[in-house]
Amino acid sequence: DGTGAPARPSPAAGLPGAAAGRRAPAPLGLVAELTHRCPLQCTYCANPVELTRQRDELDTEQWQRILDRARGLGVLQVHLTGGEPLLRHDLAAIVAHARGLGLYTNLITSGLPLDAARAAELAAAGLDHVQLSVQDADPLRADAVAGLTRLTGPTGHARKLAAAALLTGAGLPLTVNAVLHRGNLARLGAIADLAVELGADRVELAHTQFYGWAWVNRAHLAPGEEQVRQAGRDVAEARARHGDRIEITHVAADHHGGTAKPCMNGWGSEQLVVAPDGTVLPCLAAAQLPGPALPNAVTDGLAASWYDSPAFNRYRGTDWMPEPCRSCELREQDHGGCRCQAFQFTGDPGVTDPACRFSPHHHLVRAQTTPAPTPAPVPRRFTAAVPPAPDPA
Ligand code: FES
């Protein structure tokens, strides 16, 4: 980085655990946010409310150098995401470069800008897998939550179905992903059925992760307790209905159940995120956190960002943990939960995740799981008047 992508740099003095001879592990995955531009305006989007403009996006060569450095660090998988990565005309060149390095390449897309030539181009570039989003099994509701109600011609939903056919036709393995929320949970089973019809190998039914726009719109999106219980039953029925024809993954609802999720499988432990302008983050939502400045992949390099930056070292391991995490037997499994969730609920990213029933702030999460009267949601966009968050107390 800056001096040529060392494969295994020496641990920096001051790393948590360095005195005991431990060091940060090498990262396994790189989440490459190629752009924040997107034809959709999903109210549940986890992108930051402060979106990066096109003029600040990295160029092709900069992304290719980042991929070189990521591979040098030990990264094996790259997730190409956004925004909508298909809006980058150099996407195939980025895929081809990653494959040339031996990286597994996963494209996360809405599918809207896809045509047959693009699908063939990406397959020829060596793309390994595509994750295609659908919003609902009901076309009108799908387009409504994605802000696509003013489209002329085929609906956004219909375009996604066409994209799925193009992708499978090009021989690309397909996962269908649906973000679940109060407005579409009633059709969870129908979404699984749709994924089977589309020829997907896998469907990921993932409850909304409340970051970015989804956090702004949480009063609109958060499901009630009974909806969450019913979702579990609907997933079981879908698995029974479809057997081995498709793998059905169910990502549990945030804020229900009284346990903290092992966010990112531990801060600075397995994955790093590079934002469209090169900012390097330990997770997709970390730009909102107070504390040390975030490093940049171009100016600071990836190795220095991963191993040496205060932002990555701040919550590594267990030394940073307060009680009740510090003495909890689950601390190596849930890693104290999610730092961003802790910040969003309490203003302090260094406390136990309030999703945990042992957190002194757990009542704030419990209050959210009771659906509030539905306000108008705020669509994701570059400039939006975002209403202030309701007082959690
Ligand atoms: Fe940032 Fe969980 S999303 S730590």
Side-chain angles (χ1 to χ4, degrees):
D1 288 294
T3 56
R8 289 282 188 274
S10 300
L15 267 180
R22 296 201 319 248
R23 50 164 301 148
L28 175 68
L30 167 70
V31 179
E33 285 187 328
L34 299 180
T35 180
H36 277 162
R37 290 172 287 138
C38 188
L40 275 55
Q41 296 182 291
C42 299
T43 54
Y44 56 69
C45 182
N47 278 163
V49 173
E50 288 292 325
L51 295 164
T52 301
R53 299 270 174 183
Q54 183 173 7
R55 61 175 175 263
D56 297 320
E57 291 178 8
L58 302 184
D59 63 25
T60 314
E61 194 180 328
Q62 286 171 315
W63 275 114
Q64 290 175 337
R65 280 181 58 77
I66 288 169
L67 292 169
D68 292 341
R69 291 166 171 178
R71 186 68 196 98
L73 268 176
V75 165
L76 299 176
Q77 308 163 351
V78 59
H79 305 280
L80 302 162
T81 185
E84 174 48 73
L86 284 167
L87 294 179
R88 294 272 312 210
H89 297 299
D90 55 359
L91 180 59
I94 292 170
V95 169
H97 192 84
R99 287 299 285 126
L101 293 166
L103 289 162
Y104 178 88
T105 52
N106 176 31
L107 173 65
I108 299 165
T109 178
S110 71
L112 251 69
L114 193 76
D115 59 22
R118 205 78 193 285
E121 180 191 32
L122 290 167
L127 184 64
D128 289 294
H129 176 260
V130 182
Q131 181 177 308
L132 176 73
S133 66
V134 298
Q135 275 65 26
D136 206 312
D138 177 310
L140 294 181
R141 290 172 191 263
D143 278 16
V145 80
L148 294 173
T149 49
R150 293 200 192 111
L151 277 183
T152 53
T155 64
H157 185 71
R159 294 185 197 188
K160 285 166 173 278
L161 306 193
L166 292 173
L167 293 166
T168 54
L172 290 164
L174 179 67
T175 291
V176 166
N177 169 275
V179 174
L180 303 173
H181 51 85
R182 194 190 304 176
N184 67 2
L185 270 167
R187 288 170 299 286
L188 183 158
I191 294 170
D193 297 347
L194 175 63
V196 172
E197 286 169 31
L198 294 176
D201 305 280
R202 184 169 160 268
V203 58
E204 184 177 274
L205 303 164
H207 286 262
T208 303
Q209 308 274 299
F210 290 100
Y211 307 107
W213 295 90
W215 178 252
V216 170
N217 289 318
R218 61 194 183 281
H220 177 73
L221 298 165
E225 291 284 359
E226 179 47 34
Q227 276 190 303
V228 170
R229 277 193 291 273
Q230 184 61 44
R233 294 190 286 268
D234 290 347
V235 167
E237 282 180 20
R239 286 180 176 142
R241 195 158 63 243
H242 296 301
D244 295 335
R245 284 160 65 199
I246 193 167
E247 180 187 336
I248 300 177
T249 302
H250 184 209
V251 178
D254 272 4
H255 310 157
H256 293 259
T259 56
K261 63 184 176 186
C263 198
M264 302 301 288
N265 241 353
W267 182 272
S269 147
E270 289 187 359
Q271 298 211 58
L272 69 169
V273 180
V274 177
D277 63 355
T279 303
V280 190
L281 306 111
C283 68
L284 289 165
Q288 67 181 319
L289 301 182
L294 291 162
N296 187 281
V298 175
T299 55
D300 300 307
L302 274 196
S305 300
W306 178 260
Y307 286 107
D308 303 338
S309 71
F312 270 80
N313 285 325
R314 193 170 182 201
Y315 300 115
R316 272 198 171 115
T318 55
D319 291 351
W320 64 272
M321 288 183 177
E323 292 293 354
C325 290
R326 180 176 285 272
S327 56
C328 178
E329 61 184 17
L330 296 177
R331 65 187 177 281
E332 304 272 5
Q333 278 122 66
D334 67 17
H335 311 287
C338 175
R339 297 304 87 225
C340 297
Q341 204 153 263
F343 170 71
Q344 290 171 179
F345 275 106
T346 74
D348 182 352
V351 298
T352 293
D353 186 339
C356 175
R357 68 172 70 85
F358 301 118
S359 160
H361 302 102
H362 186 55
H363 64 283
L364 301 177
V365 173
R366 298 295 305 165
Q368 175 162 307
T369 57
T370 308
T374 306
V378 182
R380 174 200 195 274
R381 56 187 177 229
F382 276 87
T383 51
V386 178
D391 183 355

